[in-house]
Amino acid sequence: MTSADGANSRGRDPDALTGSQQADAQRTEAERAEAERAEAERAAIAGELHDDLLPYLFAAAGSIAALKRKHPELESELQPAAQWIDQAREIARRIMQVAVLPDDFSRGPLHAAKDFLDGVVLSSPTSIALQTHWNGLAESSQWSWAESETIAVYRIVCEAVRNVVRHANASQVTIDFMAQDGGWEIQIRDDGSGFDTDGVPDQSHGMRLMRQRAEDAGLCLKVQSNPTVQSNQSSGAGTQVSLSRSGSSI
């Protein structure tokens, strides 16, 4: 874009830019860097699973099938190992689906997250019976999402709900979108057993990646949880993940 004086604004001396222009330029660069990082991460995960892990699992499954044909008497002993390999292949395929970004973000990241969670995570035969409640979807689809926000929100919401499915022993999870003061907040709340947030190991990949995604996109991530005592559900139990952008950052 060319300014009124004929100079290209992209080539201006940074010192000549106003504070607002500098902030816009920095945000654009941050969005570009986050998009490139997310794509590189996606490609690396999908590539390693496809090229390095799945061939070994297919080879192992083939070897077991050959043994079962050669030694029918070992059928019952080999069957559990065959089932474990089948389960590992299914898990690898699901991880690859998670790693690949959806093609359609036209309705915003929350709609994309809901479509993925409903179609892949919550429909899995191994998933617990979990009631999901989505509030503010229509409002979220009207929001003007930056690219870095779109990717971060999609990934973080998917990871948070998957954590509920895998770890929370919950019966319900609620995802709320709320626009406020020129910004927005997303809350993911469950009624599960909760956990000690101070006891999460530093090497916990899921939590660390969620925080890194939020930081890279300039978002605020908070996790609050109250573990139940002796497995008895109480009003204070459950976990809430809050993801937000303040209006001053928009």
Side-chain angles (χ1 to χ4, degrees):
M1 178 177 179
T2 303
S3 64
D5 61 5
N8 189 304
S9 60
R10 290 175 62 90
R12 282 183 173 178
D13 182 346
D15 293 336
L17 298 177
T18 66
S20 176
Q21 289 173 326
Q22 289 183 24
D24 288 344
Q26 290 172 356
R27 184 177 176 189
T28 300
E29 184 60 31
E31 290 171 3
R32 185 182 302 111
E34 165 61 13
E36 291 175 354
R37 188 191 70 80
E39 177 61 20
E41 180 182 85
R42 179 208 66 76
I45 292 173
E48 288 177 6
L49 286 171
H50 185 272
D51 297 337
D52 298 336
L53 178 61
L54 285 178
Y56 284 104
L57 293 176
F58 277 109
S63 296
I64 289 177
L67 281 171
K68 288 163 69 174
R69 288 192 299 269
K70 187 174 181 179
H71 301 284
E73 71 278 9
L74 298 178
E75 170 80 25
S76 60
E77 296 180 37
L78 293 172
Q79 187 59 28
Q83 291 176 344
W84 295 335
I85 291 174
D86 286 343
Q87 290 173 2
R89 287 161 59 183
E90 177 60 26
I91 290 171
R93 281 192 288 266
R94 291 209 307 267
I95 293 174
M96 288 179 67
Q97 287 177 306
V98 173
V100 176
L101 288 171
D103 294 328
D104 185 12
F105 277 118
S106 61
R107 295 182 298 164
L110 283 187
H111 271 286
K114 183 179 186 301
D115 289 344
F116 169 75
L117 291 166
D118 287 347
V120 178
V121 177
L122 298 173
S123 64
S124 171
T126 59
S127 294
I128 60 173
L130 184 68
Q131 294 183 12
T132 56
H133 309 280
W134 296 80
N135 301 316
L137 276 177
E139 187 177 12
S140 76
S141 67
Q142 302 301 314
W143 191 264
S144 181
W145 297 96
E147 185 176 24
S148 61
E149 292 177 353
T150 297
I151 296 172
V153 168
Y154 172 79
R155 295 292 200 198
I156 291 171
V157 170
C158 288
E159 179 65 19
V161 175
R162 289 174 65 234
N163 284 340
V164 174
V165 172
R166 291 179 295 190
H167 307 302
N169 191 30
S171 61
Q172 297 187 64
V173 60
T174 300
I175 302 94
D176 293 318
F177 173 84
M178 297 160 288
Q180 52 188 21
D181 300 327
W184 52 262
E185 181 176 8
I186 296 169
Q187 293 181 354
I188 303 102
R189 295 175 285 111
D190 69 67
D191 63 350
S193 54
F195 65 98
D196 180 5
T197 55
D198 293 332
V200 177
D202 293 337
Q203 64 270 29
S204 174
H205 181 71
M207 187 67 68
R208 177 170 52 82
L209 196 54
M210 286 170 64
R211 296 191 185 282
Q212 186 63 53
R213 290 188 192 282
E215 181 180 344
D216 289 347
L219 306 178
C220 178
L221 179 72
K222 296 180 181 179
V223 180
Q224 297 173 296
S225 188
N226 296 301
T228 55
V229 178
Q230 297 179 349
S231 299
N232 294 323
Q233 191 71 21
S234 69
S235 59
T239 298
Q240 175 173 300
V241 176
S242 300
L243 183 67
S244 63
R245 178 184 284 284
S246 65
S248 60
S249 300
I250 304 249

